[in-house]
Amino acid sequence: MPVLVDKVIQVFNKKPVDTPVIAVTGGKGGTGKTSVAVNLAAALSGKGCRVLLVDTDVDSPTTAIVLGRQPQPVREVKTFIPKIIEAKCNKCGKCSEACRAHALIQIVDKYPMFFEELCSGCEACLLACPQEAIERGDKIVGRICHAPGGSLSFIGGELKPNEARSAQVVTATKDEAFRQASRQSFDIIVVDTPPGTHCNVVQSVKGADLALAVTEPTPLGIYDLDLILKLTSTLGIQTRVIINKADIPGQNRMGVLEVAKRYGTDVISEIPIDKRLFQSYVDGKPIVTLSCNSPAAEAIMKLAEQILLHIRNTEKTESPSAKFE
């Protein structure tokens, strides 16, 4: 990897806290990513760790439901919108020229027209206006919720209904999680990311010490695993693979292993289909606490042990390439 690219990646992945961050992600929805994140957090908590579980899937926040918590709003997430002062505006059109999102439209001899739903909050118009005819305004785009609780706390972001741009809510949620981690002595942060490989996923895995790519041994699962491993490889984030629904009829385990090998990584956990996992959804309790002897719970408990071993090895070697044993 070129030296400059390597430095850029190091800066990108720099985080404001020393707490280990585990990002649970996946190339598509429906693989069981949230179930793995919640149960991994609960399993680590059960092993004596103080865990902060973070939900950055702000478009579809379900982590707290699976965890069985009712988080309360702690603050609103706001974004910039321009306020045009017509008394100062000379109708030059510089603001609309600077607006790549076309939220500001200039018609000759008319004041700029603002379309709020298109605004990205980039503030380019504010900088471009030579007359200082644009002032800072703001609008609420989402909120952050918190559910403290003993050895397992929760923070999650929620996008306001009908808002199209969610990246700022993701960033604000991560920032709040790091603020909480800097104030309290958490041992591990577990981030439940959105599915896919879009911008919100990039922001969610940013700063992760380890990513866990949850997939299923199906053609679509294998295809999307390739996408998420390509993303985390590009970002320089160490990643391991988890096969969920590992014994699904017609499964293609070898296909998953081939993709993992292509990216120089390993499958570290295979979680079987377990009807008690569905019951845990209904009860709003992690399966590792509801039915700790079930096949799925046992697989996740073993995963938690591997994560703890990996963290200890990394702390000893201070190397991001520490291997699972």
Side-chain angles (χ1 to χ4, degrees), residues 78-215:
K78 298 180 180 180
T79 187
F80 164 85
I81 58 171
K83 292 178 65 177
I84 299 170
I85 311 302
E86 293 185 356
K88 294 183 178 181
C89 180
N90 66 358
K91 306 174 185 176
C92 69
K94 296 293 184 183
C95 59
S96 63
E97 291 175 9
C99 183
R100 296 290 184 180
H102 303 295
L104 284 166
I105 301 296
Q106 182 73 43
I107 298 176
V108 177
D109 295 329
K110 299 289 185 181
Y111 293 112
M113 293 184 294
F114 176 56
F115 296 88
E116 182 179 298
E117 66 276 10
L118 298 177
C119 182
S120 65
C122 70
E123 303 186 16
C125 58
L126 187 70
L127 299 173
C129 179
Q131 304 298 317
E132 297 185 348
I134 295 180
E135 293 183 353
R136 289 181 177 276
D138 61 52
K139 68 171 181 175
I140 298 170
V141 294
R143 64 181 186 176
I144 298 173
C145 300
H146 185 209
S151 61
L152 177 53
S153 295
F154 171 84
I155 288 175
E158 297 179 4
L159 183 68
K160 185 180 177 181
N162 299 320
E163 284 293 337
R165 301 179 186 273
S166 52
Q168 289 167 309
V169 183
V170 173
T171 301
T173 303
K174 288 284 292 293
D175 289 344
E176 180 65 26
F178 287 142
R179 273 195 292 269
Q180 291 288 340
S182 66
R183 296 170 185 166
Q184 304 180 49
S185 54
F186 289 108
D187 299 306
I188 300 174
I189 298 172
V190 177
V191 180
D192 181 17
T193 81
T197 54
H198 48 85
C199 294
N200 287 2
V201 179
V202 173
Q203 286 299 318
S204 297
V205 300
K206 180 180 179 181
D209 298 285
L210 177 69
L212 301 176
V214 181
T215 189

Side-chain angles (χ1 to χ4, degrees), residues 22-23 26 32 40 69 82 96 108 112 144 151 156 168 230 246 302 319:
I22 310 297
L40 175 61
R69 297 283 184 87
S96 63
V108 177
I144 298 173
S151 61
Q168 289 167 309
K230 184 180 295 183
K302 290 179 181 178
S319 169

